[in-house]
Amino acid sequence: MPSIDTLIVVGVMLLKVLIIGGALFCAPLPLTWIERKLAGRIQQRLGPHRVGPFGLLQPLADMIKMFVKEDIVPAKADSFLFKLAPILAMAPIFAIFVVVPFGPDITIPFIDYKVSLYITDMNVGIIFVLAISGLAVYGLIFGGWASNSKYAMLGGMRSTAQMISYEVAMSFAAVGVVMMSGSLSLVDIVTSQSGGFLNWNILYLPVGPLWFVIFLIAGLAEMNRIPFDMPEDEGSLAAGYHVEYSAMRFAFLSLAEYVAMVSIAVLLVVFFLGGWDNPLGSLIPILDYVPPVFWFMGKVGAFIYFFMWLRFTIPRYRYDQLMTIGWKIMIPLSLANILATGMIKIYADYRITDVLEMVGLKLW
Amino acid sequence: MVDIIKTVITRVLFLDFIKGLLVTLKYTLSRSITLKYPDHETWIPYERFRGEHKLHRNEDGRELCVACELCVAACPTDCITVVPMEDETGRRGINDRVAKVWEVNLVRCLYCGYCEDACPTTAVRLSRGFELACTDLDGTIREREALLTESPIPEHYEGGVVVKAKYIRKLIQIKPELWKQKDWWPAKPGRSKKR
Ligand code: SF4
Ligand code: SF4
């Protein structure tokens, strides 16, 4: 019989897993609504507005539709892989959130129990994230391969090539983050950037903004969104790797896509925008009372909005352009940037606040 | 050389992307042009719009049409049929004549408005009604009784606006104030509102 403390720890852990898992499962519902509304606004339409007030119940209606539709497995498909693919696409992306810190430790009032707002603080967090997110491509490849359809196959192949190319640049960007923050643990990365937006990695001049851009572009490619949504290029591949999927399996694939979007937004926030850090530091005292989780969610929301905005603004790249950007620009650039970051780290490891302090300016 | 520098700066700072994003941002903030037609909003066409025919009465409730058949003669597609008859007072003469049959085939009609121009008593007017969809070809022929239902005189209300659909249901009872729910295209200085 384990001691009561162990049981509590396990219970709290399970609770956190349930909450995060549930939240991620439900996240696509509001996200699809927001995306469709935003698409409507940008194209001067109304977006969904029939079901419920402002069409808020539209995702629920869509979900019911997905549930009751027939689940078709093509006759010539490899049915085991075909059924496995949506799970394989989904699980790794959920697993990323195991190491993501949503906020600093909080103490529950009255019982004085300390709860950390992350499931684990892995000391190799970044490596875990990269390794796990790389697995997600198996879902796409298997889905494309097992469907036994030319379009799906091409979509799967494209996603493989794309993921491999951009995984490199993304990993380099992660290396840059590790260099800037000096830790592999996501919690330490966040705490190393605390104290206002001038301390954030994105403003670790001159290399920070470049790392941010590299990670952003690689992230966009990793999650298969416009402008890099080659695997599901409607114009040339019908719907790419999920062309044969229907009903709940299709829902799982699109769920995976939305959660991937959230995960990239979360990683960008953790790596470059200081995680739960209050942007203005303690410059404005009243902001200290805003719970840190709010800042975290706000930043993630802003990124999600940006991704959606981007989707309805720019067209998709051609396949060869995609590869050119990946191999000829991103990778050399990130290699050069690693060198630059190393140099700076050795000879001039200053954040903006340090420089300001040196000239006698103390903001907070 | 200057061009190359310019290109490099544009590429490095993603200026093209920012430009494009600003365009879509502008659209995000602009008003939607979709109408929730037909159950929430309806478009009231401009005054110059020529739609379904209507026959009108004078203030005393007497039909204005005197069955002179001038509209029949004017119609380029021969889609109006008018058969005259005496009215129930038994009197004859141009003032007492009414139409026994007055029907128009809305499918053949090309909404040119010649009938309206030809009519000496302004009995037939092309209203601004455009909801002519029907499931049966019979529905495309408008008889006298249907045409005589009370309807506003076209130039008595303004057009070019979107109104709530629940107002349009009772079109006749509409007070002109209610039509100004939402001015569609903002009035240009040169465009007169009243005929
Ligand atoms: S609008 Fe023109 S075509 Fe139509 S009934 Fe009148 S005259 Fe004939
Ligand atoms: S509608 Fe006018 S033109 Fe036609 S028959 Fe009647 S009075 Fe004559």
Side-chain angles (χ1 to χ4, degrees):
Chain A
M1 182 70 195
S3 70
I4 196 82
D5 281 352
T6 323
L7 280 182
I8 288 180
V9 169
V10 170
V12 168
M13 188 78 90
L14 279 179
L15 197 68
K16 282 193 275 194
V17 170
L18 277 182
I19 290 175
I20 293 176
L24 287 178
F25 251 104
C26 297
L29 294 182
L31 285 182
T32 47
W33 181 80
I34 294 170
E35 179 150 34
R36 292 170 67 179
K37 270 290 187 198
L38 188 69
R41 298 291 335 172
I42 287 176
Q43 295 157 5
Q44 295 196 306
R45 295 184 285 110
L46 286 170
H49 65 270
R50 290 283 168 183
V51 193
F54 307 109
L56 268 171
L57 300 181
Q58 184 71 45
L60 284 180
D62 286 345
M63 206 174 69
I64 293 171
K65 183 191 77 177
M66 289 288 190
F67 267 119
V68 299
K69 276 207 165 178
E70 190 191 351
D71 180 15
I72 300 168
V73 179
K76 292 265 176 66
D78 181 336
S79 82
F80 174 68
L81 278 187
F82 189 81
K83 287 172 185 165
L84 189 67
I87 314 292
L88 271 183
M90 210 165 59
I93 296 171
F94 275 71
I96 290 177
F97 287 85
V98 168
V99 290
V100 169
F102 295 93
D105 296 357
I106 50 168
T107 316
I108 297 174
F110 308 122
I111 52 171
D112 264 353
Y113 186 75
K114 247 186 146 155
V115 178
S116 52
L117 290 184
Y118 44 79
I119 296 177
T120 59
D121 176 17
M122 226 179 261
N123 56 5
V124 288
I126 279 197
I127 296 178
F128 175 79
V129 166
L130 291 175
I132 286 289
S133 69
L135 285 180
V137 71
Y138 278 110
L140 275 58
I141 301 172
F142 285 175
W145 174 260
S147 301
N148 198 6
S149 144
K150 293 186 198 70
Y151 292 132
M153 169 88 183
L154 273 174
M157 287 294 134
R158 281 186 181 187
S159 70
T160 322
Q162 177 176 330
M163 291 265 188
I164 289 172
S165 325
Y166 281 86
E167 193 90 334
V168 183
M170 195 166 165
S171 312
F172 279 142
V175 170
V177 173
V178 172
M179 286 168 116
M180 288 189 290
S181 286
S183 172
L184 285 168
S185 146
L186 265 63
V187 180
D188 289 350
I189 288 174
V190 173
T191 43
S192 78
Q193 307 174 48
S194 61
F197 71 96
L198 289 179
N199 274 341
W200 293 353
N201 275 343
I202 186 175
L203 284 180
Y204 189 85
L205 296 173
V207 288
L210 195 54
W211 281 131
F212 174 73
V213 170
I214 291 173
F215 195 89
L216 179 67
I217 294 175
L220 277 171
E222 283 285 296
M223 66 188 175
N224 297 323
R225 271 186 87 80
I226 277 186
F228 302 114
D229 64 340
M230 281 298 128
E232 44 187 298
D233 179 351
E234 299 95 353
S236 53
L237 290 184
Y241 64 94
H242 55 54
V243 69
E244 300 291 346
Y245 281 89
S246 55
M248 277 324 275
R249 292 188 212 288
F250 174 77
F252 281 147
L253 282 174
S254 57
L255 175 91
E257 257 167 48
Y258 274 106
V259 178
M261 182 168 83
V262 177
S263 75
I264 295 292
V266 162
L267 290 182
L268 276 166
V269 168
V270 168
F271 288 171
F272 295 98
L273 293 192
W276 63 76
D277 186 39
N278 178 348
L280 291 175
S282 35
L283 204 59
I284 303 171
I286 201 128
L287 288 183
D288 281 345
Y289 297 102
V290 179
V293 180
F294 170 83
W295 293 116
F296 186 84
M297 292 298 165
K299 290 172 195 171
V300 171
F303 267 113
I304 289 173
Y305 180 88
F306 175 72
F307 292 149
M308 292 177 174
W309 182 14
L310 209 60
R311 171 167 173 190
F312 298 103
T313 301
I314 46 185
R316 102 174 33 87
Y317 278 104
R318 224 170 43 224
Y319 190 62
D320 59 322
Q321 288 173 331
L322 178 93
M323 284 298 154
T324 313
I325 295 172
W327 289 102
K328 292 196 184 157
I329 299 177
M330 305 278 285
I331 292 175
L333 199 63
S334 42
L335 278 173
N337 209 12
I338 283 185
L339 192 66
T341 315
M343 295 289 209
I344 288 167
K345 209 62 194 172
I346 294 170
Y347 297 113
D349 184 13
Y350 300 121
R351 291 185 185 262
I352 294 181
T353 34
D354 302 333
V355 178
L356 285 181
E357 250 170 63
M358 259 184 263
V359 296
L361 253 173
K362 193 150 168 55
L363 278 176
W364 47 76
Chain B
M1 190 59 203
V2 179
D3 279 357
I4 297 173
I5 293 172
K6 242 186 201 168
T7 322
V8 168
I9 291 178
T10 317
R11 293 258 168 93
V12 168
L13 296 181
F14 295 97
L15 290 183
D16 294 339
F17 284 80
I18 292 169
K19 221 187 210 171
L21 286 171
L22 285 181
V23 170
T24 39
L25 183 68
K26 211 173 73 196
Y27 277 107
T28 315
L29 301 176
S30 73
R31 200 168 62 192
S32 148
I33 56 170
T34 309
L35 298 189
K36 294 176 183 172
Y37 180 83
D39 51 354
H40 291 299
E41 292 170 334
T42 304
W43 162 250
I44 304 295
Y46 293 104
E47 280 180 40
R48 58 177 182 266
F49 186 89
R50 296 192 295 258
E52 182 190 11
H53 302 64
K54 284 287 176 200
L55 288 175
H56 288 270
R57 299 169 185 269
N58 66 6
E59 297 85 49
D60 309 333
R62 194 184 181 285
E63 283 176 47
L64 281 173
C65 176
V66 291
C68 66
E69 296 180 60
L70 282 176
C71 50
V72 181
C75 179
T77 60
D78 279 348
C79 61
I80 307 181
T81 315
V82 178
V83 176
M85 71 166 190
E86 298 165 12
D87 75 355
E88 60 278 3
T89 60
R91 287 180 295 174
R92 305 188 79 100
I94 191 75
N95 265 339
D96 302 326
R97 278 166 37 128
V98 286
K100 181 167 141 200
V101 174
W102 202 110
E103 62 178 37
V104 54
N105 186 338
L106 292 178
V107 184
R108 281 181 65 177
C109 171
L110 48 87
Y111 301 97
C112 61
Y114 281 5
C115 47
E116 191 180 28
D117 287 348
C119 183
T121 60
T122 62
V124 61
R125 306 295 306 267
L126 298 188
S127 74
R128 281 185 248 161
F130 56 85
E131 289 166 326
L132 301 174
C134 56
T135 52
D136 193 343
L137 262 190
D138 287 352
T140 63
I141 295 182
R142 287 283 189 280
E143 303 280 352
R144 176 167 155 265
E145 285 70 33
L147 294 171
L148 271 170
T149 51
E150 206 174 337
S151 59
I153 295 172
E155 63 264 16
H156 281 193
Y157 59 90
E158 277 184 49
V161 287
V162 175
V163 293
K164 293 253 183 295
K166 63 180 178 219
Y167 295 133
I168 200 88
R169 298 258 161 73
K170 301 182 187 163
L171 189 116
I172 317 151
Q173 282 94 327
I174 286 183
K175 301 194 176 59
E177 304 87 89
L178 291 181
W179 295 90
K180 295 184 182 144
Q181 289 290 321
K182 184 159 140 194
D183 197 354
W184 194 237
W185 307 108
K188 300 231 169 55
R191 191 166 70 83
S192 68
K193 282 269 186 178
K194 283 266 179 301
R195 186 122 61 117

